[in-house]
Amino acid sequence: MRWKEQLLTLTPYQPGKSIESVKKQYNLDKIVKLASNENPFGCSGKVLSALQLNLEGMPIYPDGYATNLRDSLAAFLQVEPEELIFGNGSDNLIQIISRALLHPDAGTVMATPTFSQYKHNAVIEGAIIKEIPLNSGNHDLDGMLKAIDEKTNVIWLCSPNNPTGTYIPEDALLSFLEKVPPHILVVLDEAYFEYVVAEDYYNSISLTRRYPNLIVLRTFSKIYGLAALRIGYGVANPEIIKALEPAREPFNVNSIGQAAAITAIEDSEFVEICKEKNRKGLELFYQFCKKHQLEFYPTQTNFILIDFKVDGDTVFQYLLEKGYIVRSGKALGFPTSVRITVGSEEQNEGVLKVLSEFLQNI
Ligand SMILES: *Cc1c(COP(=O)(O)O)cnc(C)c1O
């Protein structure tokens, strides 16, 4: 076979370890997974009843245009239906954008470390990649502007950023968008948007009206608790959406997910409660870090990156053997840190107890 050369340099995405495999390997009966930033409180109870009704539609292809979800979400966000595109998770939208705009003679700019899929897809398309190091955990927007050249087609921003949890403040984003040439697509990935509490966080949806080269990506996988159903969406100027649509697979969003997402946005109370519990949980992590003088980035998300100043894999392994799955920072660009998803109160207390033991033993 004559594979694309760049494909041979890639490894498939390494997800957080699965609960079942860890149970077996370490002979544990209870596992707590705090590795992939899923919602520890599940999803809205209303979604579960909506799903029962939709199982009958299984033999039928989904509505490829996601008409009902499109209309509900447009009303919810106060945008026009033509300003939306849906993906099989926002991962799929990253892939669609890359497919539509990147090729061996096109350039793309992104932060590092950031969400791995921007680079992964850019590599597959053979694009010219410029990675601009974070500055104390934050996007170096000036550095990213300087990296723009005549070949640049796409710039990726992740706010709040995975894996640091840091966000881009409004004034910084605005002055950045002012300076980016209008033929370059700026992708603003807001997978953790619903968790944000910072007061100087911008209203990105209204910015898509002001900057027709901006696309905002969001997902139902995080606070809405629907990661398994794979629903992400993009909001942008209708011209951008129209140009991207042919690169989208016709039936990329399944019907059960569409029905679930419609019900999920109706339950704003569930989202509010999760957001509040998340902030309370984070407080415990902050206190722990201060008590043990561990460095961390203040986070706007449901995860926290903590620097233990030892090999991240060692911390990861210690927790794993006690039944807690987290992400080692090693594969995330922070070799002495671990990234932990904020769980339920019980899960947070549990993982912090094990981490205290770990610190006493080193
Ligand atoms: C989780 C995550 C995604 C992927 O979300 P899906 O909608 O489940 O594909 C995208 N971007 C960031 C930054 C994430 O953390």
Side-chain angles (χ1 to χ4, degrees):
M1 312 274 150
R2 302 181 201 178
W3 301 110
K4 284 185 175 182
E5 230 168 74
Q6 62 271 26
L7 216 55
L8 307 174
T9 69
L10 293 172
T11 45
Y13 178 73
Q14 295 288 327
K17 281 193 179 263
S18 86
I19 293 180
E20 282 313 312
S21 68
V22 175
K23 257 189 196 169
K24 258 200 206 135
Q25 195 177 352
Y26 297 100
N27 203 11
L28 295 160
D29 40 56
K30 200 182 134 219
I31 304 288
V32 175
K33 183 169 178 261
L34 301 171
S36 304
N37 310 332
E38 291 125 335
N39 188 337
F41 309 109
C43 67
S44 160
K46 295 185 177 127
V47 167
L48 296 176
S49 21
L51 288 189
Q52 299 293 333
L53 297 173
N54 275 279
L55 291 179
E56 279 172 28
M58 209 93 84
I60 311 297
Y61 278 108
D63 171 1
Y65 195 61
T67 314
N68 293 339
L69 172 57
R70 182 179 298 273
D71 290 344
S72 304
L73 190 63
F76 178 73
L77 298 172
Q78 298 186 307
V79 299
E80 297 302 321
E82 299 73 32
E83 291 176 282
L84 296 173
I85 183 168
F86 291 93
N88 189 31
S90 44
D91 274 343
N92 181 214
L93 292 166
I94 296 167
Q95 183 187 36
I96 290 169
I97 292 166
S98 304
R99 199 167 178 206
L101 284 160
L102 299 181
H103 51 80
D105 200 34
T108 185
V109 178
M110 63 195 73
T112 185
T114 189
F115 189 56
S116 59
Q117 293 306 293
Y118 317 141
K119 182 173 181 184
H120 189 92
N121 281 283
V123 169
I124 292 174
E125 302 303 337
I128 306 155
I129 301 168
K130 290 193 187 172
E131 295 178 273
I132 310 304
L134 296 176
N135 196 344
S136 316
N138 294 301
H139 280 62
D140 173 8
L141 294 177
D142 287 335
M144 294 179 86
L145 282 172
K146 284 196 198 107
I148 294 175
D149 60 27
E150 71 282 359
K151 296 207 167 169
T152 308
N153 272 4
V154 184
I155 303 179
W156 305 90
L157 302 177
C158 189
S159 174
N161 188 44
N162 185 357
T164 50
T166 49
Y167 71 105
I168 302 173
E170 182 171 26
D171 50 358
L173 180 67
L174 290 179
S175 83
F176 177 80
L177 290 172
E178 280 298 326
K179 291 174 196 144
V180 176
H183 67 274
I184 298 175
L185 184 69
V186 177
V187 184
L188 181 55
D189 184 348
E190 293 189 326
Y192 301 94
F193 163 77
E194 296 83 2
Y195 283 110
V196 172
V197 295
E199 282 177 9
D200 56 350
Y201 194 73
Y202 40 81
N203 178 341
S204 55
I205 303 286
S206 73
L207 290 179
T208 61
R209 299 274 171 92
R210 216 158 117 196
Y211 300 98
N213 60 331
L214 174 67
I215 185 165
V216 172
L217 305 186
R218 293 190 187 161
T219 179
F220 284 89
S221 298
K222 303 287 156 64
I223 210 167
Y224 288 105
L226 301 177
L229 295 179
R230 314 301 305 127
I231 311 271
Y233 62 93
V235 189
N237 183 285
E239 295 299 317
I240 302 271
I241 302 293
K242 210 160 68 189
L244 287 173
E245 273 291 328
R248 181 181 68 78
E249 292 168 61
F251 302 110
N252 63 333
V253 177
N254 72 85
S255 0
I256 298 173
Q258 292 183 30
I262 292 172
T263 318
I265 47 181
E266 285 163 7
D267 195 352
S268 56
E269 198 188 334
F270 175 78
V271 173
E272 265 319 299
I273 291 170
C274 293
K275 182 176 175 180
E276 263 170 48
K277 286 189 189 164
N278 179 62
R279 288 318 297 186
K280 280 213 183 103
L282 266 177
E283 277 309 316
L284 278 188
F285 284 89
Y286 284 180
Q287 280 166 19
F288 172 86
C289 290
K290 283 171 190 156
K291 183 174 161 198
H292 296 280
Q293 297 183 327
L294 298 169
E295 281 172 31
F296 63 97
Y297 291 113
T299 173
Q300 294 294 318
T301 64
N302 66 336
F303 60 81
I304 183 166
L305 186 72
I306 304 176
D307 190 353
F308 285 86
K309 306 273 190 228
V310 295
D311 189 323
D313 286 354
T314 311
V315 189
F316 166 82
Q317 191 59 31
Y318 188 90
L319 287 171
L320 191 66
E321 288 169 22
K322 305 274 177 327
Y324 290 89
I325 313 176
V326 301
R327 275 313 280 274
S328 165
K330 249 196 165 158
L332 302 174
F334 291 91
T336 59
S337 298
V338 294
R339 191 192 68 192
I340 308 174
T341 304
V342 179
S344 66
E345 200 176 338
E346 187 195 345
Q347 293 171 336
N348 297 335
E349 284 167 358
V351 74
L352 290 174
K353 191 162 160 258
V354 178
L355 281 171
S356 296
E357 289 165 18
F358 172 79
L359 289 171
Q360 273 158 18
N361 290 330
I362 50 168

